[in-house]
Amino acid sequence: VRVGVLGGGQLGRMLALAGVPLGIEVRCLERTPDAPAAAVAPLTVGDPGDPEVLAAFAAGVDVLTYEIEGLPEPALAQVAASTPLRPGLPSLHAASDRWLEKQLFAGLGIPAARTLPVSDRTGLAAAVRELGPCLVKTRRGGYDGRGQVAVRGEADLPAAVELLPAPGGLVAEELLAFDAEVSVLGARGLDGAVATWPLPGNVHRDGILRTSRPPAPVPARVAAQATTYLTQLLTALDHVGVLALELFVVGGRLLANEMAPRVHNSGHWTIEGAETSQFEQHLRAVTGLPLGCPAARGSVAMVNLIGTAPDAAAVLAVPGAHLHLYGKEPRPGRKLGHVTVTAADEATLSARLAALATVLP
Ligand code: AMP
């Protein structure tokens, strides 16, 4: 089976690696020839946003999937008529725009921070009056904290105004003082079966994910609620593949932040830490294979490598450390790789994480 992945970053690279033992050939379509996936998968160099490029790429694979968002939906709809696109367009569409996403959540009764769409200065001022301190975000295309401005008072407004020309406009979200961030990831198979992983607790800095560690610091009831929200989304979207939902925990309540219709950074721990990794699971789902068991194996945590590459030998000297480098040039704020640390119990894991912290840049 040949799976065509739109995008060839680290997610494409890890999908390709997961495909090898299953006899699934992963190919990627990506603009830059030296993208992370190029080292492990045949890479077609081209713009996934170009309908002709897309059609030619789709003709060479059995099923199409994606590791990036913001893809051209009309061109994809055409291609999907002959090559199945999994997850399908409803998932991609909803996740492409923060306002649509919030409306989807609302329609399913999934709570979220109070959010208003903003398209001009007047709307921005009105939203700030209505919401108080808020986070202004571009509706489309933002990631890793880019395209976001916190507005706590008048002085912050000019920076938010600068975001106004963004295609698709903006949203203003109530700025939450959350107790924790968690995510829930799961997959839905072609037959409608759903498998969800234990939730990790996530720590972000400057809008970028730093660590993910299951189980999330929430009562079982709250974790079950998050899993129910994810399952509702999977079903409502007729989603096939992995779906990630990021949530805030505020006073024991969950508020949905955003979703990603693809494998997700907060699921990287599943490579060594779960019976079935998110990458294998995604490939199983989109090729119509049965889903694998999502249970965790022992204690596990994932630490992102941001901006500066670590000394590999020092990382690997930490017991239980598994190093994943993406083959990217170091640059401030860039995700260069991650380390997953495994252990038989939580106390040993914490000690190993402390040891790892001393050798990271
Ligand atoms: P996002 O790109 O929406 O996932 O935002 C990146 C990070 O910014 C989140 O993981 C949070 O740490 C923070 N953040 C996003 N939205 C809010 C919010 N409404 N209130 C407080 N912090 C937020």
Side-chain angles (χ1 to χ4, degrees):
V1 187
R2 286 160 307 175
V3 175
V5 180
L6 306 178
Q10 61 264 24
L11 302 178
R13 177 175 168 119
M14 290 184 271
L15 281 169
L17 287 169
V20 175
L22 301 183
I24 295 173
E25 185 191 329
V26 168
R27 299 182 183 187
C28 294
L29 175 61
E30 165 67 49
R31 278 191 200 84
T32 42
D34 58 349
V40 295
L43 194 101
T44 302
V45 179
D47 179 3
D50 180 329
E52 274 179 36
V53 171
L54 203 54
F57 180 72
V61 298
D62 300 302
V63 56
L64 274 178
T65 188
Y66 43 90
E67 57 107 78
I68 51 174
E69 295 162 52
L71 291 158
E73 291 170 31
L76 273 179
Q78 249 181 7
V79 160
S82 39
T83 308
L85 175 73
R86 298 175 187 145
L89 280 171
S91 301
L92 190 67
H93 184 64
S96 69
D97 181 314
R98 291 185 188 274
W99 178 239
L100 292 183
E101 208 169 68
K102 288 292 196 312
Q103 286 175 304
L104 173 69
F105 295 156
L108 292 170
I110 301 173
R114 286 187 300 145
T115 302
L116 293 168
V118 167
S119 54
D120 54 25
R121 276 166 184 267
T122 321
L124 183 62
V128 172
R129 267 198 311 277
E130 163 100 22
L131 300 173
C134 57
L135 204 55
V136 179
K137 306 180 181 179
T138 56
R139 278 174 63 164
R140 305 181 65 91
Y143 68 99
D144 286 349
R146 286 176 229 202
Q148 301 195 6
V149 171
V151 179
R152 295 185 174 84
E154 288 283 317
D156 300 321
L157 273 176
V161 167
E162 274 182 36
L163 290 179
L164 275 173
L170 311 177
V171 289
E173 285 178 21
E174 174 188 5
L175 192 62
L176 299 168
F178 50 78
D179 303 311
E181 291 190 80
V182 304
S183 58
V184 56
L185 276 74
R188 185 165 171 273
L190 206 50
D191 59 358
V194 168
T196 57
W197 286 276
L199 278 65
N202 301 322
V203 176
H204 293 78
R205 202 163 62 241
D206 303 327
I208 306 178
L209 181 68
R210 305 289 156 157
T211 61
S212 289
R213 179 173 179 174
V218 293
R221 168 189 60 79
V222 174
Q225 181 63 260
T227 304
T228 301
Y229 293 153
L230 184 78
T231 305
Q232 282 177 281
L233 285 165
L234 285 166
T235 311
L237 295 165
D238 195 19
H239 189 92
V240 175
V242 169
L243 181 70
L245 177 65
E246 296 182 63
L247 305 122
F248 301 109
V249 183
V250 188
R253 275 189 74 224
L254 290 168
L255 295 174
N257 176 22
E258 61 172 352
M259 63 178 214
R262 53 170 172 79
V263 287
H264 189 259
N265 195 170
S266 69
H268 291 358
W269 66 269
T270 60
I271 296 178
E272 291 89 5
E275 289 292 329
T276 309
S277 83
Q278 62 165 345
F279 301 98
E280 174 175 342
Q281 197 77 303
H282 189 73
L283 292 177
R284 287 183 183 226
V286 303
T287 60
L289 292 169
L291 297 184
C293 170
R297 303 196 264 219
S299 296
V300 59
M302 187 247 19
V303 180
N304 267 341
L305 302 171
I306 313 275
T308 321
D311 175 25
V315 168
L316 293 173
V318 176
H322 303 267
L323 178 62
H324 296 255
L325 295 174
Y326 306 151
K328 291 157 88 172
E329 282 303 316
R331 204 188 292 157
R334 202 173 199 206
K335 289 176 180 167
L336 304 179
H338 71 267
V339 182
T340 298
V341 182
T342 56
D345 56 75
E346 292 296 313
T348 309
L349 177 61
S350 293
R352 291 177 173 184
L353 288 170
L356 177 68
T358 65
V359 302
L360 292 184

